[in-house]
Amino acid sequence: MARIPLVITLAAGTAAASALVAVTGPAAAKPPTPSADAVAVADAVVAARPAALRASRHDTFQRRQVYKSHGLTYASYDRTYKGLPVKGGDFVVVTDDAGQTRYTSVAQSSPLGELSTAPGVSESAAVATSKAQLKTVSGIEGTRLVVVAAEGKTPTLAYETTVNGTSAAGISRLTVDVDATTGAVLATEEHVTEATGTGTGWINGSVSLNTTQSGSTYSLKDPTVTNLSCQDASTRVTFSGSDNVWGNGNGTSKETGCVDALYVAQKQHAMLSSWLGRNGANGSGGAWPIRVGLNQQNAYYDGTQVQIGKNTSGRWISSLDVVGHELGHGIDDRTPGGISKGGTQEFVADTIGAATEAYAANANDPFDYQVGEEVNLVGSGPIRYMYNPSLAGDANCYSSSTPGSEVHSAAGPGNHWFYLLAQGSGGNGQPASSTCNGTTVTGLGIQSAIKIMYNAMLLKTSSSSYGKYRVWTLQAAKNLNPGSCTQFNAVKAAWNAVSLPAQSGEPTC
């Protein structure tokens, strides 16, 4: 398969907290060693079963994936109890190339204790209960016994089933945990994320794409990024042709929508490598198929794909920040702990969308810290403003009600924090942003801000929350800059400026 540089012209458009414990590694100083040794150090720490891991005598651990970023290695681990997966038992061990253990981030705050693994209800009954959580069901992906170790709650044996279909809100891919003793629903997790944008048209202009050539046929498939292609959503067939010229500049054309979407995905892939040292959206050199043609004013990621819908004028909403946001959900999903929780998932994806837009530096879609400003969904302007969330009716400042808010609305304080961290309260060429405590905040620039955010995501566990993101971002700034407190202090000042208070166990500098 060949890498084909391709220029395409589009018509210009209108413009109780987790255990977060420092673990001491080997004390003797030694020269830096290959990063593979850092993984061995992490495995050795886990094999020693330190108290920080909150291990019971029935626990075993399996390394899941290793992420490397700026001289640090983040090894994520899953926990099993008597052979059953533990949801909420995950943790991350951070090591460096000098053989030192820098930090551990552990979801559990106490050992599991003694728990029976004999179910009291049948699997078929649990599946029926899971199916009943949706309006319609098109398929069942599978069912397994797990131990649910939700923060602050008694560990419980459960059946975990993932169901496909529709809910009251629309398309759904729902994981349901059913108590294996009582048959009650313990928790549900929706994998379909929703984000939509507003603005006025298709504006990426003339763009270059890497396409795949096979004989005399070209396709909108990246030749080097596994699974990254753009397809017609109705047929799930990748767009192909004989001339390697794509799109007609009309935003109602699915092929044109795919030109924009694939362009965004490839720009994001480059940003992840250049700014963050990450190998693709999924962390291992790949991404997901993008499918243009969803007959809704919406776009979503569901763990297997990105679907792109249209605005009320029938134009496909493949803008830099919308597609960057949806792929951002995938990046969140493929970092430790999975999709962020506690009202944080949308702000996390917004930060990645903003970084994608900044990196692309496309004059037709200027970097602006607005979300969805270029696609006119319903004619009401951007759906979120990171510098002033209240412009879209969202809260600028964190409060106890934030985690329970609708997930897009709950993004307000996190988006405001990220803007202050990147641009500062004065804006530095972007709009000024007032703080909740009347302070002045100095920004670090978006590249430094997203580096801190990403490295915090590498500390993430399945019990993520706003409070834990404050801890993780402070720790990330400290890990990345061990000889300076400048970035640490900026992170802290930005969280204080959006009224998220200090957390138990947070680091100092």
Side-chain angles (χ1 to χ4, degrees):
M1 301 300 182
R3 176 185 292 268
I4 309 296
L6 170 64
V7 176
I8 300 161
T9 301
L10 297 181
T14 304
S18 293
L20 295 160
V21 184
V23 176
T24 302
K30 60 181 182 181
T33 55
S35 57
D37 290 348
V39 177
V41 169
D43 285 347
V45 169
V46 173
R49 301 171 72 89
L53 301 188
R54 311 295 195 251
S56 79
R57 66 189 183 93
H58 301 296
D59 290 2
T60 57
F61 309 110
Q62 301 81 36
R63 175 160 34 85
R64 178 173 55 188
Q65 193 161 358
V66 174
Y67 308 85
K68 302 180 190 303
S69 178
H70 301 87
L72 298 173
T73 298
Y74 299 78
S76 65
Y77 294 83
D78 288 331
R79 184 186 311 252
T80 61
Y81 178 88
K82 299 181 181 179
L84 297 179
V86 178
K87 299 185 70 172
D90 53 301
F91 57 92
V92 181
V93 178
V94 186
T95 52
D96 62 25
D97 286 346
Q100 299 294 313
T101 304
R102 292 281 195 92
Y103 195 67
T104 61
S105 179
V106 185
Q108 284 181 206
S109 56
S110 60
L112 293 175
E114 293 295 327
L115 178 69
S116 171
T117 57
V121 298
S122 67
E123 179 177 325
S124 60
V127 170
T129 298
S130 298
K131 292 169 64 177
Q133 306 311 302
L134 294 182
K135 287 177 60 178
T136 66
V137 175
S138 59
I140 305 293
E141 292 185 20
T143 300
R144 62 176 184 169
L145 275 174
V146 299
V147 173
V148 176
E151 184 65 36
K153 297 183 180 179
T154 303
T156 306
L157 184 69
Y159 287 104
E160 177 194 81
T161 302
T162 298
V163 189
N164 294 285
T166 61
S167 67
I171 298 168
S172 179
R173 180 171 177 256
L174 189 72
T175 295
V176 184
D177 293 332
V178 175
D179 191 313
T181 300
T182 68
V185 175
L186 292 172
T188 61
E189 181 179 4
E190 179 57 75
H191 298 280
V192 174
T193 60
E194 299 179 4
T196 51
T198 59
T200 55
W202 242 243
I203 58 127
N204 283 332
S206 298
V207 298
S208 295
L209 298 175
N210 290 330
T211 61
T212 295
Q213 180 180 5
S214 179
S216 60
T217 300
Y218 302 89
S219 62
L220 288 181
K221 181 180 185 299
D222 192 292
T224 61
V225 182
T226 305
N227 289 330
L228 178 57
S229 62
C230 199
Q231 304 175 345
D232 185 323
S234 62
T235 63
R236 298 197 170 186
V237 172
T238 302
F239 283 96
S240 62
S242 60
D243 59 4
N244 210 17
V245 176
W246 310 93
N248 58 13
N250 186 336
T252 63
S253 159
K254 291 182 183 179
E255 184 177 300
T256 298
C258 264
V259 168
D260 286 303
L262 189 59
Y263 164 77
V264 175
Q266 291 178 344
K267 285 295 184 183
Q268 185 183 84
H269 185 86
M271 182 275 291
L272 293 172
S273 176
S274 176
W275 285 6
L276 304 179
R278 183 176 174 87
N279 185 20
N282 70 357
S284 56
W288 304 271
I290 303 172
R291 292 167 176 146
V292 172
L294 176 67
N295 190 27
Q296 297 178 12
Q297 278 71 60
N298 195 14
Y300 67 82
Y301 162 85
D302 71 358
T304 66
Q305 62 178 329
V306 170
Q307 284 266 353
I308 301 295
K310 58 187 178 182
N311 63 17
T312 51
S313 298
R315 295 186 176 97
W316 306 108
I317 56 174
S318 308
S319 65
L320 276 161
D321 50 11
V322 169
V323 177
H325 171 107
E326 295 306 335
L327 289 167
H329 281 306
I331 295 165
D332 190 21
D333 197 16
R334 296 300 181 93
T335 47
I339 293 285
S340 295
K341 301 175 179 63
T344 63
Q345 69 181 57
E346 294 301 321
F347 106 74
V348 169
D350 279 350
T351 68
I352 297 171
T356 302
E357 188 174 87
Y359 181 88
N362 187 316
N364 293 309
D365 185 0
F367 173 43
D368 54 18
Y369 290 99
Q370 297 174 7
V371 181
E373 75 281 358
E374 300 298 345
V375 288
N376 187 16
L377 187 70
V378 293
S380 59
I383 58 169
R384 287 189 291 282
Y385 300 80
M386 300 179 79
Y387 52 86
N388 186 359
S390 67
L391 292 175
D394 303 328
N396 285 8
C397 309
Y398 182 84
S399 71
S400 59
S401 65
T402 299
S405 302
E406 190 276 330
V407 290
H408 299 88
S409 180
N415 279 341
H416 193 195
W417 165 79
F418 185 78
Y419 184 84
L420 292 170
L421 181 63
Q423 301 299 133
S425 52
N428 192 27
Q430 297 282 347
S433 180
S434 60
T435 59
C436 304
N437 60 357
T439 60
T440 298
V441 177
T442 300
L444 301 172
I446 191 166
Q447 187 171 346
S448 292
I450 196 65
K451 184 187 298 184
I452 291 169
M453 184 68 206
Y454 173 65
N455 279 264
M457 292 167 68
L458 296 181
L459 294 172
K460 173 165 51 75
T461 68
S462 58
S463 61
S464 49
S465 67
Y466 259 100
K468 289 163 189 168
Y469 263 113
R470 174 174 168 129
V471 175
W472 292 329
T473 51
L474 287 169
Q475 186 64 44
K478 187 172 181 177
N479 287 346
L480 290 167
N481 304 278
S484 170
C485 292
T486 300
Q487 295 202 353
F488 179 95
N489 290 337
V491 172
K492 187 173 183 178
W495 281 124
N496 290 343
V498 300
S499 299
L500 182 66
Q503 302 294 300
S504 174
E506 73 177 42
T508 58
C509 188

